[in-house]
Amino acid sequence: IMCGRDACEAIVKRQRNGQKVPTVIMVTAQVTPDFEKHCIEAGSSGFLSKPYKIEQFERILRQALEKDN
């Protein structure tokens, strides 16, 4: 069992081994700037706090996909 940060770090480590890594957007109920930094440092492509609107998710997803490609 892993927390989201640990899971994200494990996914990102695959990239270091030459495997393609999926875009990871962390969705959480925690809304502190420190936690957002924590998610980005873990290697996530984006961060979204709950509750959110679909438009916010679409924006974050577009930004993350542009950054990752």
Side-chain angles (χ1 to χ4, degrees):
I1 298 175
M2 295 183 198
C3 71
R5 179 187 169 103
D6 292 343
C8 185
E9 287 176 341
I11 291 168
V12 171
K13 282 182 186 176
R14 290 182 177 186
Q15 184 176 26
R16 293 184 195 129
N17 295 328
Q19 296 178 357
K20 179 145 175 70
V21 176
T23 298
V24 177
I25 298 174
M26 298 182 84
V27 179
T28 181
Q30 296 193 31
V31 295
T32 66
D34 287 341
F35 193 77
E36 181 175 359
K37 181 181 173 190
H38 178 78
C39 293
I40 300 301
E41 287 174 351
S44 71
S45 304
F47 171 88
L48 191 60
S49 59
K50 296 186 267 183
Y52 60 88
K53 296 182 186 217
I54 191 67
E55 294 84 8
Q56 292 171 296
F57 180 78
E58 290 170 343
R59 180 179 48 81
I60 293 293
L61 181 59
R62 271 194 304 276
Q63 290 172 351
L65 290 173
E66 288 173 4
K67 182 174 74 172
D68 290 348
N69 289 324

